Every structure is written in structure tokens, then in C-alpha cells.
Amino acid sequence: MNILKSARGRLRLGITVVAVAGLALLAAGCGSSGKSSSSGGQSSSTADAVSTTPPPVPTKCATKGGTLKVLSAGDVDHIDPGEAYYSFTYEITRPTQRYLLYPKQNSTALRPDLATAMPTVSNDGRTVTVHIRQGVRFSPPVNREVTSADVKYAIERGFSASVANGYAGAYFSVIKGTPTTPPATPKPISGITTPNTHTIVFHLKRPEAVFVTALSQPLTAPVPESYAKKFDDQAVSSYGLHQVATGPYMIKNNKAGSINGIGYQPNHLIELVRNPNWKASTDFRLACANEVRFMEGYQDPTVMAKTILSGAADANGDTPPPAAELRSILSNPSQKKLLYFTPTGGSRYIALNTRKAPFDKLDVRKAVAYVLDRNALRLTRGGVVDGRIATHFIDPSFGNKGFDQAGGYTFNPYPTPSFNGDLAKAKAMLTKAGYQSGVYTGPQVTMVADNTPPGSDTAKVVAADLAKIGIHARIISVTHSTMYTKYCNVPKNEPNICPNVGWLPDFHQPQAILDATFNGKNILPSNNSNWPLLNNPKINAEMATAEKTLNTAQNYEQWGRIDKQVTETASAIPWLWEDYPTLFSSRVVPAVMYDNSGSPDVSFMSVK
Amino acid sequence: MAVDAERRVDDSPRQAEPGGVVADAPPIQAGGVFGALLSPMPLYIARRVLWGVFLLFVVSALTFLIFYTFPSADPAALRAGRQASPALIAQIRHSLGLDKPLYDQFWIYMKGLVLHFDLGYSYQNSVSVRQQIFTRLPVTLSLTIGAFVTWMLIGIPIGIISAIRPRSRVDRTTMGGALLAISAPVYFLGLVALLLFSNIGVFHLLPGAGSYTPLHTNPRQWFESLLLPWFVLAAAFAAFYARMVRGNLIEVMHEDYIRTARAKGISERRVVLRHGLRAALTPVVTLAGLDLGLLLGGAVLTETVFNIPGVGRYAYDSITNSDLPAIQGTVLFGAFFIITANLFVDILYAFLDPRVRY
């Protein structure tokens, strides 16, 4: 998924607060890492990070009724569930749409949602069968019962250019008959069959380890073809503005089904009301509140946090409270219990372009890995409250799903004292690379970075650290989205260094972290996410094997090993396993989507 | 009926004269309709209107050029999402018409704009830009007109008081305050106001950010939700106008006709308000028109700080989302108000001072 919460590249007035807090800590001497071991490793018990215990899963409503208010800085990426690919958008799609599978509360495991049970996979791994629940009905104006054909159409439309789902190609193109060139409008896919109205069968080209997990994505939310076709047949589908729901809530609409200007006012308000056709007996969601209002446009995170603390709103939707505010809340016992940190599952890293000198040499990249002060880097985003310092790519929240197999907290191929960088080791590496005296003497390198904090501060720290070993970087500052779409995602325009990249997995499978980002086969001429342009035949081959390994224990073992190998290439230097803080008002029972960066889960929240 | 009437006119005998003037056409007389149209004032207005239209065209072309020339995000890649294939991005680029030459895209846009007043559809949410702007216009009008009234009500009296008692304690205090208000950026003043007087502040007097309520929904809540933004937006303007009124009035009060008025025994109050202020306010009124036009295009910072869903916020969101149709629409909309305000002021000037018509 798009990198963490800042993926939309928003300029936020209040972000300066984070920068000021970060710089203040920099000035204070970077002393927050004292608990880490001298080897540069860290243990789960002693590492300097705040506790990431989610709120208990509510099993019943404190009260039925009332209105929940969630605040956000920006809007959803796309209001159409078939296009949605952003953690904030999922806060709206999950209470309104029922996917085949749903992540269990406070867990990385899955449970059936629209499906009656977990999918059955044939022995050869090429056929996946899902039975869907009876009695689930679409909201007005469609009103009829959901059938397997609706799920089939939902996936088919994702492959069309008019809908343009971002991950259909990555996770669903393994289905037989999926188009290689996207059709302008939805076309049938032969590899999806519906033997009866409540069974759907996926015929795969090959066994695919993540396919079943991918059925937990919003692309599997049913869409009624007879109603949606007229919207999908446009150059850009407008079904999102006329969508129907299957979950307990629906976006408020008019009789014709339009939400435009009614329940959806772009960049201002998304209003959820009860879906009159939802039956509690078919669902595990509590759906306590009568109404949920996603109030957008809170550009200043300090104002957002204070509004929640005042009780005028109930949770932060897409923007964390700034570091200074977090520290203030953590020091106040009555407020501290309203704040929960959740691992995002993702990491931030510095990508070094392995196709361009000087980072085409392993020893030069290793020198960079040694010289970077990861504490200073973390401080640019707020310090300890932002998460643990990363030493490889699979996040600790994966536990035995690859993190432990990669060596857990102890694996750190480039240790430095207290993560503050090791100039001597860096110089030794440069000497090994052929630079006398351990100082780089080649031409200036380029770095394309965000033009606003905290990304711009991160770039400055990288530039200052590199200057210590003679690597002088010219920083090109652009907006966050420009940095990605015009430079770092386009290999021919890619600079030597992309310091503001990172990856948030779509689900808790290690493949979702490492495949798109480090597999040589995924280097694309545009929209590329393999930022170091790593194309290591050995790693590629191991990935190809792991992708087909259906045995989960073996699969996690393989990906853990791959994680180590990728880290050792020093093509990307991980520096943060990011946690995400969610603040709740005292008037609500909190609940989070553990797998979705701790976003507020309005299906389970209730007014006290 | 209309056809017959037309035919009758067409059938009527005419004899063209050299130069194309129809012989039986009514002679142009001084003071007639044509005469009036050819008189300096209508010609001047027509010239200014044409110039305004041309400027709008230039603004539109420049926005297009800036968006494509300077580094900005790729709308097709943004729409496609992170893991989309190059083929999908190419298909989206084609669907959005972004693969056409720049001049073609501009031509299509201008054609839609001129023929159908169509500002296009947002790349991000497929909602009509025109609809978005017109939905948000009443919000911006509420903010701008309220702030305008506020700064006039504050700025002019302070300017007068300072002018009639120059270098007094009142004058020094108000002018010092004015300097502070001018120096304080709106985003800073807005945050301070929120942290002091809103529901998240020290004194819970007024609603905070995001509390805007439309006038027709609840007039009282509308008023309360806009009170802080009005004062914050008006602060710098009020200060500037106070200083201007003070300066102008002090100058006017030294004019001969003021001395004459005083010599005639007219009360000081009447001298100041009737004779002095009238002359001092002329440039203020002119400037107020321009400022109002500027703000109607969107008070970006105030709307952003207070989370008011107006045109300014829409412009801000469009820029951060690299949503060209929305950027184009809001820029054009802002330019329209600025050009109209300029036009209005120019025409007003032309009425007041005939020399500018030529």
C-alpha cells in the first residue's frame, strides 16, 4: 500500500510542529537511545519505544445509537471501494462493504466475512473455492440479495481502466484469463466461475501463497453489475458516487443512489448512516452508533488532537497527533489512557540507486549504512513515539510470520554504537571500495526529497551524514507525490538517493513487504516501487520459490531469509519500524483496526 | 411570425455606399443610440471587458503551462495507485486525455469552458469542478463579506480617532496594535485565536475549527462558527485600513477648504465627518473593492486554518492532490473575481475622472 499515512503528499500547516519538536530533540543531544545494546541490536523488552497494546476488543455496545466523529486532514484516495488503496479509505470501506474475508480484531489473522468459512484450496494449489453467506443484501436503491456473480464482477471491474484498481494486477493477475492490457471497461475473466449463486471458484495459473490473504482486500466487496455497469462503462467510473453497501453502514444517499454532495462532500465530510438492509444475524460487527461522520480538512494535527481531547470529536482518522502533543498526552495520566499505539507493519528506509555510481558498489552502500545516524533520522519524525529503529524490513508486528525468522531484534548487519553511526567503519568500507583515506572523491550525488518536514528534515540528516565521508548530495526538493510519481518511481529519472521512501504492507504476509519493493522482476518503467532497483538473481530466485510455497511455516522461513539477504545488500537502509498513534475521546469505547495502522474501527466503537 | 418579419427586413431595398454603409440606415446623430455606444465611456468599458476576457485566457494558459512545465505529480500514476502496471497507467492517461499534446488538451478544456461553462471533472473523485466551486461559493461569500464588514467597522473608526488625535496615547496604542495585526500572519493568528477562544482553547467561548454551519441550516451556529474567522481574516485588513484612513484624513484636514469650513463656524464633528472623511475615504473605497475581489477567489489560509469548506480550501486541496482540473477551476475562478473587481474599480474611476477614458 502507499507509504504510510503521508502517502497523499499533503502539505500540513501543523507539520512544522513536528519538525520543531524533532529539531528541539536533536539539539538536546540525541540521548534517547540509551537502552539499546552496544551492538546496535535491541531486544523486545528493552528497546526504546512506547507500548503498542491495542484497546481490548469490545464484545458489546456501551450504548446503541449516537454519532461518532472521526477527524482527518485529507480525503479518501477514491470513494469507490474497487479503487480504494489507502488506509484512511479503509476506515470507510470496512464498515460499509463486506469483503470475502476480514482481519480479526487485534490480530493479523483473518476470518470469514461475506464468506461462510475460510476458502478451500485444492491440493495442487490452483483452485480456490469460496462459499458466500446467504441473506446479505445490498443497500438501497438495489435492495436485492448478494450473489457470487456480484463478487465476480467486483474483481473483473478492478482490472479495467475505468476503475483502475492499484493492486488487482499484483495479487489477482494469477487468476486465469485476467487481461494483460487493461480493457477500457470491465470484461469477464474466464478464471472466475460461479457454479451457483452462493459459490465462487478461482482458477489460478499457478499456486500463489498470498492469494487467499488477498481476498481480505476491498476489491472482493460485491458490486451489482446490472446497477453498476452504466457507471463503469464511462471513461472514469462514477460508481463510487453511486455505490451501494453491504455492511452495517452506507454512505448517505438520495433515492437514485447518489452520494455526491449528500453523504460524500469531497474534502469536507463523509457521512455514514445505517444500512436498512443489513442484518446483524449475518455479521460479527457490533455497529453500535447510528451515524458516523468523517470530518475532513483538519490540516493542523495539534488542533485535531485538541479537538478530540475536548470531546468535540472521537478519533484521528488519517493524521497522528504531533510528537509534542503525544509527549504531553503521555505525561498526563487521564489522557494517556486515551492514546493507543499500533505497529503499522511498515518501515521507512533510505533507498540507494544500485544502477548508478557510486552506489553500484556494495562497499560504498555499506559505508552509507554505517555512517547514517538512525537516531537523528528518527528524531526528524518525532523520536521514540514514532516507533523502533529498524534494522531490517519485516516489522516486529509480523512476529513468527517472518520477523523472527529474519533474526528478530538481534539481526543487524550494520551495527553502530547506540544507532548513532560509526564513522570509522564507514571509512573502512570506503577504503575497501578503493577510496584512499576512506573519503569519497567522486562527483556530487543527487537526492530527491520532500519539500516539507518531516521528509525534508530526514533528507538534511542524510546529507549531513554522507558529507562526513565526502559524499556531497544535491537535494532536489519537491512535493511528496511529485517525489514518487516523477522521480523515485521512474527509474530513468531516479536520483542516486531517495531518502523519503517506505512501504506499508497490504496485509501481514512477508511477501507483501518484500516482493514489490526488492524483486528484480517488479522493476517497472513507471510506478516502480523497487526504489533501489535491486535485481539480484539469487534473491529473485528465492522469491520466486517463496511465492509458490503454500506451507506457511516454510513460507515464513523463506521470506525471513530473503529479508536478511536484502538487508545485507545495503541497497536500502531501514531506519524506522513505524508505530501509529490513535487518540480517542473519553466519551467513546475505543476500537482499532490492528492490521490497518491502528485506524479507528467505527464498526466496534460505541458512545459511552 | 419571426421569419416573416425577418424576410420583410431582408426584402427591403438597400443601397450600399462605398465604405459599406447602408444608404437607408438611420443617420448617426450626436446623442443617439450609436452615438452613445461610440462615446468614450461605453468604448472604454468594452475595451476593459475584452481585456478581462483576454487576461482570463492568459491565466488559464499559464496554469496549464506551469502544471506541466514545473515538477508536479503525475495524475495518471496517482490515480492508478502504487502497484499498478505501466499498461494500466497508460490506459488511464489515455482515458483522461493526458496522452494528447498539450495544445490539444488546452483546446478541449477551453472549448468545454466557453461552450458549456464546463470546468471539467476532478481526477481524484470524478466530481464536477463547477459543482464543487458553486457548492463552496456561499461559504466563501459568508466568510469574505463578514470579514469585509468587520474590518470596515473596525478600521475606519480607529483611523478617524487616530487622525483627529495624532500622537496621542490613543493614536500610539491603536497604531501599535495595527502594526502587530499587520505583522501577524493569518495562520499564526488563527491558531492563537483557536487555542484561546474556541472549544479547544483556554476560554471556551466559540466553536472551533470545522464547525462551519450553513446559514440556512442554523443562522445562530453560522454566526458563531464564523465569528473567529471573521476577526482573524479582518485583523490585518482592519489595521491596514486604519493606517490608511488616518494618513489620508490627517492630510485632508490640512486642506484649505477644511480651514474655510472651520472658519465658517461649522462644528468639528461635522468638519471631520462631512468634509474631511468624505475625501479621505475615496481611495479606501477603491482599495476595498479590490481586496474584496481578491478574497472572493478564496481566503485560502483562513479557510484552511479554520477548516471552512470554501473555495480557498478547495484550491489548497487541489494543489496538494495534483488535481489539475480543480486547480485550473479555482485559479480561473479567483482570477475572474480579481479581474471583475479591477474592472469595476476602473469603471468607477472613469466615471469619477473622465481623463482615464481616453
Side-chain angles (χ1 to χ4, degrees):
Chain A
M1 193 193 296
N2 289 356
I3 168 61
L4 310 178
K5 296 276 177 171
S6 58
R8 309 293 304 156
R10 296 181 186 96
L11 297 165
R12 288 179 192 140
L13 297 174
I15 219 133
T16 45
V17 178
V18 180
V20 169
L23 290 173
L25 282 169
L26 274 173
C30 312
S32 61
S33 62
K35 288 179 185 171
S36 52
S37 71
S38 59
S39 70
Q42 49 190 335
S43 73
S44 59
S45 58
T46 60
D48 54 343
V50 289
S51 166
T52 53
T53 309
V57 181
T59 51
K60 59 179 183 178
C61 303
T63 56
K64 273 268 185 187
T67 301
L68 296 171
K69 294 175 187 168
V70 179
L71 305 184
S72 77
D75 197 6
V76 293
D77 61 341
H78 304 289
I79 196 71
D80 186 334
E83 295 177 67
Y85 199 21
Y86 176 36
S87 51
F88 173 59
T89 313
Y90 290 4
E91 294 173 32
I92 289 102
T93 54
R94 283 201 188 165
T96 55
Q97 303 292 337
R98 298 188 67 174
Y99 321 159
L100 289 179
L101 306 178
Y102 193 94
K104 277 185 180 167
Q105 276 63 56
N106 291 1
S107 163
T108 58
L110 298 175
R111 65 181 295 171
D113 186 357
L114 185 62
T116 54
M118 290 301 284
T120 52
V121 182
S122 64
N123 288 339
D124 65 356
R126 291 169 188 264
T127 308
V128 177
T129 306
V130 188
H131 299 287
I132 67 168
R133 213 174 278 277
Q134 300 204 342
V136 177
R137 302 180 76 83
F138 286 111
S139 64
V142 173
N143 295 314
R144 71 163 169 81
E145 186 174 1
V146 172
T147 68
S148 49
D150 301 319
V151 180
K152 175 176 156 65
Y153 179 70
I155 296 170
E156 287 167 349
R157 69 191 289 273
F159 280 90
S160 70
S162 69
V163 176
N165 177 281
Y167 56 84
Y171 303 127
F172 292 86
S173 60
V174 70
I175 300 172
K176 284 180 184 169
T178 48
T180 45
T181 305
T185 55
K187 294 283 178 290
I189 294 173
S190 60
I192 308 177
T193 55
T194 51
N196 60 52
T197 54
H198 288 84
T199 305
I200 184 164
V201 182
F202 300 100
H203 305 276
L204 309 185
K205 297 169 189 165
R206 59 177 182 278
E208 176 63 58
V210 296
F211 183 75
V212 168
T213 312
L215 298 178
S216 64
Q217 297 302 293
L219 185 63
T220 65
V223 175
E225 182 175 2
S226 55
Y227 170 76
K229 193 86 171 84
K230 57 182 176 291
F231 305 118
D232 288 344
D233 282 349
Q234 298 162 347
V236 176
S237 170
S238 62
Y239 170 72
L241 296 174
H242 303 84
Q243 63 182 277
V244 283
T246 45
Y249 297 101
M250 55 185 249
I251 301 176
K252 195 175 178 182
N253 61 10
N254 62 16
K255 279 185 180 169
S258 173
I259 61 169
N260 185 14
I262 302 161
Y264 179 47
Q265 298 171 35
N267 291 299
H268 177 49
L269 177 71
I270 299 173
E271 189 176 358
L272 306 189
V273 293
R274 285 196 183 279
N275 172 3
N277 295 334
W278 178 74
K279 284 184 194 161
S281 59
T282 67
D283 206 338
F284 53 85
R285 293 163 177 84
L286 295 177
C288 307
N290 282 342
E291 196 185 348
V292 186
R293 293 169 71 83
F294 289 87
M295 300 159 70
E296 302 172 341
Y298 283 81
Q299 296 293 336
D300 190 312
T302 304
V303 171
M304 187 191 285
K306 288 189 182 300
T307 305
I308 295 163
L309 289 172
S310 77
D314 301 312
N316 53 310
D318 71 342
T319 304
E325 198 65 33
L326 287 175
R327 277 188 275 275
S328 161
I329 294 168
L330 287 170
S331 64
N332 181 331
S334 65
Q335 292 179 348
K336 189 180 175 182
K337 61 187 179 191
L338 304 172
L339 183 64
Y340 296 90
F341 289 85
T342 310
T344 61
S347 57
R348 291 189 182 273
Y349 47 91
I350 312 296
L352 305 175
N353 187 336
T354 58
R355 282 188 183 172
K356 281 185 179 173
F359 301 124
D360 54 345
K361 286 185 178 171
L362 174 63
D363 290 325
V364 177
R365 298 199 299 267
K366 283 183 178 177
V368 175
Y370 279 120
V371 82
L372 285 179
D373 181 343
R374 298 185 205 194
N375 263 309
L377 289 171
R378 182 171 64 166
L379 284 166
T380 62
R381 299 195 73 88
V384 175
V385 290
D386 213 43
R388 292 172 196 277
I389 287 174
T391 55
H392 50 102
F393 296 95
I394 300 179
D395 177 274
S397 66
F398 279 67
N400 64 2
K401 287 184 171 179
F403 175 74
D404 295 340
Q405 290 84 343
Y409 290 109
T410 54
F411 177 67
N412 182 4
Y414 306 107
T416 63
S418 301
F419 295 110
N420 290 338
D422 189 329
L423 189 57
K425 278 186 185 169
K427 286 189 168 181
M429 281 298 148
L430 278 184
T431 307
K432 203 174 157 195
Y435 294 101
Q436 287 188 344
S437 320
V439 175
Y440 172 77
T441 50
Q444 192 183 45
V445 298
T446 54
M447 177 155 44
V448 176
D450 291 1
N451 57 5
T452 51
S456 56
D457 292 335
T458 306
K460 283 177 199 163
V461 170
V462 173
D465 283 345
L466 293 183
K468 292 175 193 166
I469 50 174
I471 300 176
H472 295 285
R474 183 170 73 92
I475 302 177
I476 299 167
S477 301
V478 292
T479 63
H480 190 73
S481 50
T482 304
M483 179 273 289
Y484 273 124
T485 61
K486 286 281 171 79
Y487 294 99
C488 293
N489 286 1
V490 185
K492 72 172 182 184
N493 298 341
E494 195 168 328
N496 300 91
I497 306 170
C498 288
N500 299 136
V501 295
W503 192 256
L504 185 70
D506 292 325
F507 34 75
H508 273 72
Q509 286 277 345
Q511 182 179 331
I513 288 206
L514 298 169
D515 191 45
T517 46
F518 297 108
N519 195 333
K521 77 171 183 189
N522 291 328
I523 297 174
L524 303 170
S526 62
N527 227 32
N528 171 53
S529 299
N530 182 340
W531 297 296
L533 301 172
L534 184 67
N535 192 7
N536 182 315
K538 185 170 175 276
I539 293 175
N540 296 347
E542 290 228 20
M543 286 193 186
T545 307
E547 283 169 11
K548 293 178 203 150
T549 306
L550 298 183
N551 179 302
T552 49
Q554 269 181 24
N555 184 277
Y556 299 149
E557 194 63 48
Q558 288 164 338
W559 284 108
R561 196 164 55 242
I562 292 166
D563 186 11
K564 282 180 164 179
Q565 290 168 359
V566 169
T567 310
E568 280 162 356
T569 65
S571 54
I573 321 296
W575 56 273
L576 184 67
W577 283 314
E578 194 155 37
D579 295 334
Y580 188 77
T582 312
L583 179 65
F584 292 93
S585 75
S586 56
R587 73 175 201 112
V588 296
V589 176
V592 298
M593 296 176 185
Y594 184 77
D595 68 308
N596 189 35
S597 305
S599 306
D601 194 340
V602 296
S603 297
F604 289 87
M605 287 168 64
S606 57
V607 178
K608 284 178 184 166
Chain B
M1 193 66 184
V3 172
D4 289 342
E6 194 178 326
R7 190 175 297 137
R8 197 165 54 243
V9 172
D10 286 343
D11 290 346
S12 63
R14 290 183 182 188
Q15 191 179 351
E17 284 188 351
V21 179
V22 178
D24 58 353
I28 297 171
Q29 292 175 351
V33 176
F34 291 104
L37 285 175
L38 291 175
S39 71
M41 195 60 197
L43 271 179
Y44 173 79
I45 293 172
R47 216 165 50 229
R48 301 298 301 166
V49 169
L50 281 176
W51 183 242
V53 171
F54 174 71
L55 271 180
L56 282 173
F57 175 80
V58 170
V59 166
S60 193
L62 275 177
T63 315
F64 239 82
L65 272 178
I66 288 169
F67 188 83
Y68 283 103
T69 310
F70 291 94
S72 63
D74 178 351
L78 278 181
R79 181 169 174 79
R82 180 53 54 81
Q83 298 204 58
S85 65
L88 180 59
I89 296 173
Q91 185 64 261
I92 293 172
R93 190 163 283 126
H94 178 71
S95 303
L96 297 175
L98 295 168
D99 57 346
K100 291 189 168 73
L102 196 55
Y103 58 84
D104 245 10
Q105 292 181 43
F106 186 61
W107 167 247
I108 292 167
Y109 181 82
M110 289 312 288
K111 209 166 65 176
L113 180 65
V114 174
L115 297 181
H116 310 291
F117 191 45
D118 178 7
L119 292 167
Y121 289 80
S122 159
Y123 289 156
Q124 195 197 8
N125 48 43
S126 309
V127 172
S128 153
V129 172
R130 185 179 63 182
Q131 178 205 323
Q132 278 292 294
I133 289 178
F134 281 99
T135 306
R136 289 160 178 265
L137 184 57
V139 184
T140 297
L141 281 174
S142 295
L143 174 66
T144 305
I145 293 172
F148 177 79
V149 172
T150 309
W151 89 60
M152 284 301 196
L153 287 178
I154 295 172
I156 293 174
I158 287 178
I160 296 169
I161 293 165
S162 294
I164 56 180
R165 290 191 175 80
R167 286 182 293 279
S168 67
R169 194 171 291 172
V170 176
D171 179 33
R172 286 177 204 278
T173 310
T174 52
M175 286 304 109
L179 195 64
L180 269 177
I182 290 172
S183 313
V186 165
Y187 54 85
F188 168 75
L189 209 57
L191 282 177
V192 170
L194 281 171
L195 295 174
L196 279 179
F197 304 114
S198 78
N199 58 354
I200 61 165
V202 182
F203 313 105
H204 296 194
L205 297 175
L206 293 163
S211 58
Y212 175 79
T213 310
L215 176 64
H216 61 84
T217 309
N218 187 328
R220 187 184 165 166
Q221 279 180 15
W222 171 82
F223 181 78
E224 286 178 351
S225 68
L226 282 172
L227 213 49
L228 274 183
W230 281 339
F231 275 101
V232 167
L233 180 58
F237 285 102
F240 182 75
Y241 279 66
R243 286 167 66 92
M244 196 162 70
V245 168
R246 178 185 180 273
N248 289 348
L249 195 55
I250 286 174
E251 202 177 310
V252 168
M253 293 305 281
H254 287 95
E255 294 285 338
D256 289 344
Y257 72 92
I258 295 289
R259 196 163 53 240
T260 308
R262 281 178 175 143
K264 285 167 77 177
I266 298 172
S267 71
E268 187 62 17
R269 183 191 177 87
R270 198 177 164 86
V271 168
V272 172
L273 295 179
R274 271 289 174 85
H275 300 278
L277 192 59
R278 257 176 108 162
L281 278 185
T282 311
V284 174
V285 170
T286 309
L287 197 68
L290 291 177
D291 285 337
L292 191 63
L294 187 74
L295 288 176
L296 282 172
V300 178
L301 287 174
T302 311
E303 289 181 9
T304 304
V305 171
F306 287 96
N307 191 8
I308 298 169
V311 179
R313 254 278 309 288
Y314 186 50
Y316 174 87
D317 292 331
S318 314
I319 293 165
T320 53
N321 293 326
S322 296
D323 196 346
L324 177 62
I327 294 172
Q328 184 84 348
T330 49
V331 168
L332 261 182
F333 184 77
F336 170 78
F337 273 114
I338 292 167
I339 289 168
T340 307
N342 265 292
L343 187 69
F344 178 75
V345 168
D346 283 352
I347 292 169
L348 200 69
Y349 255 72
F351 270 113
L352 296 175
D353 184 355
R355 285 173 299 179
V356 300
R357 298 174 204 168
Y358 297 95

